[in-house]
Amino acid sequence: AQSVTQLGSHVSVSEGALVLLRCNYSSSVPPYLFWYVQYPNQGLQLLLKYTTGATLVKGINGFEAEFKKSETSFHLTKPSAHMSDAAEYFCAVSDRSRDDKIIFGKGTRLHILP
Amino acid sequence: EPEVTQTPSHQVTQMGQEVILRCVPISNHLYFYWYRQILGQKVEFLVSFYNNEISEKSEIFDDQFSVERPDGSNFTLKIRSTKLEDSAMYFCASRQDRLDEKLFFGSGTQLSVL
């Protein structure tokens, strides 16, 4: 069965600093991996996804993630944090079943310090 | 960008009462989902719906839960007799096509059972 583990329920970085949110996956088939973001009082928005092909995936708002099969990881990064990046971030994997439902991690709340 | 709309944004109910959570998926989408997030926990899959029937459901989705697409536009989740542990944020999601991995989420309904 597919699953994801996010390390750190809360991460704080200073404005302008590197953002690194960690995600490790477990999958019995080649995984489809996602990062979703949830801003306060809003729904879940897709940041980026990896299905096949290039292992470095670029998403919206300057975020990117790298699929590393050897490490079973899909960490999310952004070179320079902005105050507007404060949100909850969810790593997710598709179960590649008939319905391709998404299985989420517990989430990481990103705090940006001025 | 098209949106999935959920109403109400907050719902308070007494234990044992029936509630109906409403969702309007994106109009040309074919797959519909309900997820929930108990405070402080991960986003969990409840049920998927395709071609006017449930295609998959989780162990959470017991006989107290039902879904319906009554008129071709709305997609509802009914909880027949609410329990305290049903208090959570409920997210509706829809997808255009099984091969399109992007899931569009609504902003959620916060259900509080007293």
Side-chain angles (χ1 to χ4, degrees), chain A residues 34-102:
Chain A
F34 310 82
W35 276 98
Y36 281 83
V37 61
Q38 184 181 25
Y39 297 104
N41 301 315
Q42 295 187 30
L44 294 159
Q45 181 182 358
L46 182 67
L47 265 182
L48 48 79
K49 66 182 181 185
Y50 167 80
T51 53
T52 57
T55 56
L56 182 62
V57 180
K58 294 187 186 300
I60 61 172
N61 301 337
F63 283 94
E64 60 185 36
E66 186 170 12
F67 169 66
K68 290 188 177 179
K69 185 178 178 182
S70 61
E71 298 177 9
T72 61
S73 68
F74 191 58
H75 302 329
L76 181 71
T77 60
K78 181 173 180 178
S80 177
H82 193 272
M83 295 300 289
S84 60
D85 295 327
E88 185 99 24
Y89 291 81
F90 295 93
C91 182
V93 61
S94 168
D95 75 344
R96 307 286 302 276
S97 69
R98 181 173 52 144
D99 297 317
D100 281 335
K101 66 178 182 290
I102 303 293

Side-chain angles (χ1 to χ4, degrees), chain B residues 4 7 9-10 14 17-18 21 27 38 43 47 64 68 73 81 84 91 98 100 103 107 110:
Chain B
V4 174
T7 55
S9 55
H10 293 86
Q14 296 290 325
Q17 295 295 304
E18 175 184 286
L21 308 183
S27 61
I38 295 172
V43 178
V47 65
Q64 293 299 313
E68 200 175 35
S73 63
S81 177
L84 296 176
F91 291 105
R98 187 174 167 269
D100 175 3
L103 216 53
S107 55
Q110 180 65 54

Side-chain angles (χ1 to χ4, degrees), chain A residues 36 102, chain B residues 2-6 23-35 49 69 73 75 91-97 100-106:
Chain A
Y36 281 83
I102 303 293
Chain B
E3 287 185 349
V4 174
T5 305
Q6 288 187 244
C23 170
V24 179
I26 295 168
S27 61
N28 62 347
H29 284 192
L30 302 176
Y31 290 81
F32 312 108
Y33 305 80
W34 282 101
Y35 286 79
F49 191 86
R69 189 158 159 78
S73 63
F75 179 52
F91 291 105
C92 173
S94 68
R95 184 202 300 278
Q96 183 175 32
D97 185 278
D100 175 3
E101 300 89 1
K102 183 169 181 176
L103 216 53
F104 287 79
F105 282 85

Side-chain angles (χ1 to χ4, degrees), chain B residues 27-65:
Chain B
S27 61
N28 62 347
H29 284 192
L30 302 176
Y31 290 81
F32 312 108
Y33 305 80
W34 282 101
Y35 286 79
R36 79 171 186 191
Q37 183 182 26
I38 295 172
L39 186 65
Q41 298 185 27
K42 65 168 68 176
V43 178
E44 300 172 294
F45 167 77
L46 290 179
V47 65
S48 58
F49 191 86
Y50 171 73
N51 201 25
N52 285 321
E53 61 182 17
I54 290 174
S55 47
E56 190 172 351
K57 58 185 180 180
S58 72
E59 59 188 25
I60 303 168
F61 195 89
D62 61 22
D63 291 344
Q64 293 299 313
F65 290 87

